Amino acid sequence: MHDLIHDLATSMFSASASSRSIRQINVKDDEDMMFIVTDYKDMMSIGFSEVVSSYSPSLFKRFVSLRVLNLSNSEFEQLPSSIGDLVHLRYLDLSGNKICSLPKRLCKLQNLQTLNLYNCQSLSCLPKQTSKLGSLRNLVLDHCPLTSMPPRIGLLTCLKTISYFLVGERKGYQLGELRNLNLRGAISITHLERVKNDMEATEANLSAKANLHSLSMSWDRPNRYESEEVKVLEALKPHPNLKYLEIIDFCGLCLPDWMNHSVLKNVVSITINGCENCSCLPPFGELPCLESLELQDGSVMVVYVEDSGFPTRRRFPSLRKLHIGGFCNLKGLQRMEGEEQFPVLEEMKISDCPMFVFPTLSSVKKLEIWGEADARGLSSISNLSTLTSLKIFSNHTVTSLLEEMFKSLENLKYLSVSYLENLKELPTSLASLNNLKCLDIRYCYGLESLPEEGLEGLSSLTELFVEHCNMLKCLPEGLQHLTTLTSLKIRGCPQLIKRCEKGIGEDWHKISHIPNVNIYI
């Protein structure tokens, strides 16, 4: 880092530029050459390669008028303390570097407005005097493994964005530091298990932060104040302008009352992850703007996503994406189905919900199923007649797919079956998939054959991928009649590889008409 900056100064002087007139410096790494981009008159870039081993502590004093310094992704591990000499600096980008700490003199930059530390993955703390950066407006801390926040962050009254806040246990490190900050954009609040009661939580004053559009709240286990968690989360009610909400590892018995259509009327995305003690879910179906809902690792007590019992009311009017995972007793979306439920839902992902059964839905186009699912659940996929893409992954118990599963999927264009390790056969109802263009079968180690009748009916198929299906002995005869098939890939199928050997293999006549054939060991 020291050599880099010294080279920068040398290059500036050799170009007869006045270092005191430089306003902006961007250091960019382009293969083996470093470039310095400035806004000095007509000079846009200066390249340099000379290695200078010495370092002058007063180097930055030569750039006293510098306003912008971009050192992102420069691979340096230490920022020189002379950074404190750039008294006019407004913007400092240190993102993507390997720095472990920042020099104390950084806190002398009274005009600094933006400090970007994004993805500084070795940075564990900020200087204790960070609260003296009186002009700071934007503090970017995403993907920094901080172990604590600097004390009295609330003194930064100009601060508008702070992407991350780690709750501490002592005064000066607690949620009250957020009280008087007019925050905007997004914030992630972690270690909420350290909040002892709802009075501490109220001091964050989240309900008054009208410009805060994204809020993530998480707890770290083990939790020392479980009995207070419901009250704490209740006291963290956001402003109705909120659009994105995430709650992670909340241990309370129920989610807060403010999760309703009056407070979350503008929310477009909700993620609830690891709330294993919540026996029921809030009425998400009432939220008018909700477009994306992700529910992960929930309680064994949850049987339906919506259990409100209002079958005639319109529910989930704007929901387009739904991801549910880790609900071992979840049976379905709603206990009672009514008209116009999930009217615009397009994408679904269901993971590790072995009892889940799909209702009739009129607009779902993409579906992914991960983990175990019983025969009834898989056959209920036929209720999604508008599907164009179906992916089935990582089911270790199923040995066959029911005939009913594909019979109503006339719009399906992409089908992927992967890691069904004990699957022995595919249903002949594949033949009903007249619009299927791509069939992808991978890591089905027990698959012994492809259905003759099933494949012959795939009149629109253009791509077929078969990978790591060790027991697959041969290709069906009907494959040679698929005139639209333009691409075939076979990999990790030892018996097939031998039979498909060009010109002499027993199955070569079945695939010789295909323009692109790729066969790998």
Side-chain angles (χ1 to χ4, degrees):
M1 175 57 189
H2 297 169
D3 293 346
L4 176 64
I5 299 299
H6 201 103
D7 280 349
L8 166 63
T10 303
S11 296
M12 292 297 183
F13 299 144
S14 65
S16 299
S18 172
S19 58
R20 294 180 178 271
S21 300
I22 300 297
R23 294 293 186 270
Q24 176 174 333
I25 298 177
N26 294 301
V27 178
K28 298 184 179 181
D29 189 356
D30 185 6
E31 296 182 351
D32 297 325
M33 178 67 73
M34 293 290 182
F35 292 94
I36 310 304
V37 181
T38 78
D39 65 352
Y40 176 73
K41 294 184 178 180
D42 298 326
M43 183 164 32
M44 294 306 296
S45 65
I46 301 175
F48 61 94
S49 58
E50 181 184 357
V51 177
V52 180
S53 58
S54 61
Y55 164 66
S56 170
S58 62
L59 172 62
F60 279 127
K61 290 181 179 180
R62 304 176 185 176
F63 301 95
V64 294
S65 298
L66 199 64
R67 289 343 189 235
V68 176
L69 179 57
N70 185 348
L71 298 172
S72 60
N73 301 302
S74 300
E75 297 293 321
F76 66 89
E77 299 179 2
Q78 184 179 0
L79 186 68
S81 60
S82 57
I83 189 73
D85 296 331
L86 303 180
V87 294
H88 296 290
L89 199 64
R90 305 289 199 273
Y91 179 94
L92 177 59
D93 189 345
L94 303 173
S95 60
N97 285 297
K98 300 177 181 179
I99 47 177
C100 299
S101 62
L102 297 172
K104 294 179 181 179
R105 294 197 64 215
L106 178 73
C107 302
K108 292 184 175 293
L109 303 179
Q110 292 299 302
N111 292 302
L112 190 66
Q113 297 178 1
T114 296
L115 177 58
N116 187 351
L117 300 169
Y118 176 83
N119 204 32
C120 290
Q121 297 187 9
S122 299
L123 186 64
S124 60
C125 63
L126 300 180
K128 289 187 177 181
Q129 303 299 317
T130 298
S131 60
K132 291 186 176 181
L133 295 172
S135 299
L136 196 64
R137 297 181 183 180
N138 308 296
L139 180 57
V140 183
L141 299 170
D142 304 81
H143 304 292
C144 293
L146 298 184
T147 56
S148 69
M149 299 297 294
R152 298 176 296 279
I153 206 82
L155 295 178
L156 299 175
T157 55
C158 292
L159 198 63
K160 301 296 183 183
T161 62
I162 177 170
S163 53
Y164 179 79
F165 185 85
L166 190 154
V167 178
E169 296 179 340
R170 293 180 293 138
K171 188 174 181 180
Y173 297 85
Q174 297 171 334
L175 272 178
E177 295 299 314
L178 301 178
R179 181 175 186 83
N180 296 318
L181 300 182
N182 184 18
L183 297 179
R184 65 186 181 192
I187 188 171
S188 175
I189 304 175
T190 66
H191 286 283
L192 282 165
E193 76 281 355
R194 296 172 180 170
V195 180
K196 298 180 179 63
N197 52 57
D198 57 334
M199 292 182 63
E200 276 191 24
T202 302
E203 291 183 2
N205 200 24
L206 293 184
S207 61
K209 303 189 187 307
N211 296 314
L212 194 64
H213 294 152
S214 179
L215 174 63
S216 174
M217 298 181 283
S218 64
W219 286 252
D220 191 23
R221 300 175 183 178
N223 191 334
R224 292 182 295 175
Y225 304 105
E226 279 188 38
S227 61
E228 293 292 327
E229 280 206 5
V230 175
K231 293 180 181 179
V232 167
L233 187 52
E234 194 72 55
L236 292 172
K237 180 176 72 172
H239 190 277
N241 286 349
L242 193 73
K243 291 186 177 181
Y244 303 90
L245 174 65
E246 183 178 55
I247 298 175
I248 301 173
D249 290 337
F250 169 70
C251 286
L253 297 178
C254 61
L255 289 163
D257 291 338
W258 53 256
M259 295 189 71
N260 56 51
H261 64 282
S262 60
V263 176
L264 302 183
K265 61 184 179 181
N266 291 304
V267 163
V268 298
S269 176
I270 292 178
T271 297
I272 309 292
N273 194 333
C275 302
E276 298 175 359
N277 293 332
C278 296
S279 58
C280 63
L281 297 172
F284 293 122
E286 297 180 358
L287 305 183
C289 298
L290 185 64
E291 296 180 5
S292 175
L293 176 61
E294 181 174 345
L295 307 171
Q296 290 285 343
D297 299 327
S299 169
V300 296
M301 301 294 290
V302 175
V303 180
Y304 293 96
V305 174
E306 276 265 318
D307 205 3
S308 57
F310 297 107
T312 59
R313 293 178 57 180
R314 181 180 174 92
R315 318 295 287 177
F316 298 95
S318 302
L319 193 68
R320 297 184 180 276
K321 296 181 181 180
L322 176 62
H323 181 187
I324 305 174
F327 285 77
C328 61
N329 290 321
L330 189 71
K331 293 182 178 180
L333 298 180
Q334 294 177 291
R335 184 180 295 276
M336 302 180 67
E337 289 188 47
E339 296 192 11
E340 294 189 291
Q341 309 305 304
F342 303 91
V344 296
L345 185 61
E346 295 178 352
E347 297 182 23
M348 292 184 69
K349 183 176 180 180
I350 306 297
S351 311
D352 298 314
C353 299
M355 301 178 65
F356 189 85
V357 175
F358 293 93
T360 299
L361 298 171
S362 61
S363 58
V364 178
K365 291 181 172 57
K366 295 182 180 180
L367 172 64
E368 292 186 20
I369 301 178
W370 291 74
E372 308 306 315
D374 62 18
R376 182 173 175 236
L378 289 175
S379 62
S380 68
I381 292 175
S382 61
N383 290 326
L384 310 176
S385 59
T386 54
L387 274 184
T388 60
S389 175
L390 173 61
K391 300 179 181 180
I392 305 173
F393 296 109
S394 300
N395 189 315
H396 305 300
T397 59
V398 66
T399 58
S400 62
L401 301 177
L402 300 180
E403 293 289 337
E404 294 83 3
M405 183 173 170
F406 297 121
K407 285 186 175 179
S408 300
L409 306 183
E410 59 184 24
N411 295 300
L412 198 66
K413 295 181 179 180
Y414 177 82
L415 174 61
S416 175
V417 180
S418 301
Y419 292 97
L420 274 64
E421 297 172 1
N422 292 305
L423 182 70
K424 296 184 181 303
E425 59 181 358
L426 292 171
T428 58
S429 60
L430 274 175
S432 63
L433 304 178
N434 297 324
N435 288 306
L436 193 69
K437 294 186 177 299
C438 180
L439 177 59
D440 192 343
I441 305 169
R442 307 185 190 212
Y443 298 95
C444 296
Y445 302 120
L447 188 64
E448 297 175 352
S449 63
L450 298 176
E452 184 72 48
E453 181 183 338
L455 253 67
E456 190 172 352
L458 301 180
S459 57
S460 299
L461 195 69
T462 60
E463 296 177 293
L464 175 60
F465 302 111
V466 183
E467 295 190 26
H468 297 285
C469 298
N470 299 13
M471 299 298 292
L472 199 56
K473 297 179 177 65
C474 64
L475 295 174
E477 288 289 338
L479 200 62
Q480 60 187 308
H481 303 302
L482 299 183
T483 57
T484 59
L485 193 59
T486 59
S487 181
L488 172 66
K489 181 179 179 181
I490 298 174
R491 183 177 184 181
C493 306
Q495 298 183 71
L496 276 189
I497 290 172
K498 185 177 181 180
R499 292 179 63 94
C500 292
E501 191 172 349
K502 187 174 181 179
I504 60 173
E506 296 175 70
D507 284 354
W508 176 249
H509 69 282
K510 303 173 185 179
I511 63 174
S512 60
H513 67 289
I514 303 173
N516 300 303
V517 176
N518 295 289
I519 300 177
Y520 306 90
I521 297 175

